[in-house]
Amino acid sequence: EVQLVESGGGVVQPGGSLRLSCAASGFIVSINYMIWVRQAPGKGLEWVSVIYSGGSVYYADSVKGRFTISRDNSKNSLYVQMNGLRAEDTAVYYCARALDYGGGLDIWGQGTRVTVSS
Amino acid sequence: QSVLTQPPSVSGAPGQRVTISCTGSSSNIGAGYDVHWYRQLPGTAPQLLIYDNINRPSGVPDRFSGSKSGTSASLAITGLQGEDEAEYYCQSYDSSLSYVFGTGTKVTVL
């Protein structure tokens, strides 16, 4: 079965760090375009970051310099390291697969909740 | 970064047709990038409804259709059903090398 399963969410204090994981099954992460999307409580979807099959990475301005996207081919998994967390980073974080460059996101994980609060 | 603009809400009676607009700019939709649509039920992950402007993934009913023109795109739902009550988002790509989402539209079945 093709699926994505996120983990690693939780409650963290402002300025803290968290690493989210996204385990894939049924397809190979390294040859696909993988994306992180977040959704703050009661708000819309916000793109966070993308890693392309060739290894290029890009970030939303709101997380640039604080978040780092990566993948582990041996574990067929995607990650995002989040440092310097702020209250406005509180959201449900989803990993997803893009059909192609700039394409639709056809597979989504169930999401993992991150709460930044003192 | 850019955001695509959608109406906050649309509504219709069962069986009716509703449309949701998605307005972008010359750096995203107007630059020729494709538009994709998602449906999100409360507490669940978004589901791809339309990709590359007009295409439906396997399993999506043909009641859903998409179109694109200039700097805008639209999602049409015909034969509106109670299960269509959800939040809908459009998505495209931007010349700033970012993915962009619409502001979201709540569809209410009267």
Side-chain angles (χ1 to χ4, degrees):
Chain A
E1 181 186 5
V2 175
Q3 67 173 356
L4 294 166
V5 178
E6 300 99 335
S7 60
V11 180
V12 61
Q13 292 188 339
S17 298
L18 212 54
R19 189 177 87 147
L20 306 183
S21 301
C22 171
S25 55
F27 71 97
I28 300 172
V29 164
S30 63
I31 63 173
N32 280 276
Y33 302 157
M34 300 299 297
I35 286 174
W36 287 99
V37 174
R38 68 183 180 183
Q39 187 170 35
K43 301 297 184 182
L45 302 172
E46 180 188 16
W47 170 72
V48 172
S49 181
V50 59
I51 182 167
Y52 291 116
S53 54
S56 298
V57 300
Y58 297 94
Y59 301 93
D61 289 342
S62 57
V63 307
K64 199 173 296 182
R66 300 187 299 123
F67 288 15
T68 303
I69 191 172
S70 64
R71 65 191 180 205
D72 184 331
N73 298 345
S74 67
K75 296 183 178 179
N76 204 33
S77 293
L78 176 73
Y79 305 94
V80 61
Q81 175 68 42
M82 305 185 296
N83 298 330
L85 284 163
R86 307 166 179 168
E88 54 265 36
D89 296 318
T90 294
V92 174
Y93 285 73
Y94 297 99
C95 61
R97 182 182 78 171
L99 285 169
D100 54 30
Y101 184 84
L105 310 181
D106 67 330
I107 302 169
W108 293 70
Q110 84 286 357
T112 186
R113 186 174 301 274
V114 172
T115 302
V116 184
S117 173
S118 54
Chain B
Q1 275 148 334
S2 301
V3 172
L4 308 176
T5 301
Q6 300 178 232
S9 64
V10 299
S11 61
Q16 283 191 330
R17 178 179 186 270
V18 297
T19 62
I20 302 170
S21 61
C22 173
T23 302
S25 68
S26 58
S27 66
N28 40 66
I29 299 175
Y33 293 110
D34 291 325
V35 178
H36 322 285
W37 291 90
Y38 304 88
R39 174 172 64 183
Q40 186 179 33
L41 298 170
T44 69
Q47 173 201 8
L48 183 64
L49 276 182
I50 297 288
Y51 67 96
D52 295 352
N53 308 311
I54 61 172
N55 298 304
R56 286 186 308 277
S58 174
V60 174
D62 59 6
R63 302 188 296 106
F64 296 91
S65 62
S67 63
K68 174 191 163 187
S69 179
T71 59
S72 297
S74 292
L75 172 72
I77 309 173
T78 58
L80 197 63
Q81 301 179 4
E83 67 198 48
D84 298 330
E85 195 160 281
E87 193 81 19
Y88 291 79
Y89 295 92
C90 59
Q91 175 244 313
S92 186
Y93 189 74
D94 193 88
S95 302
S96 61
L97 305 181
S98 61
Y99 287 72
V100 290
F101 283 96
T103 49
T105 299
K106 169 66 177 175
V107 170
T108 301
V109 181
L110 301 173

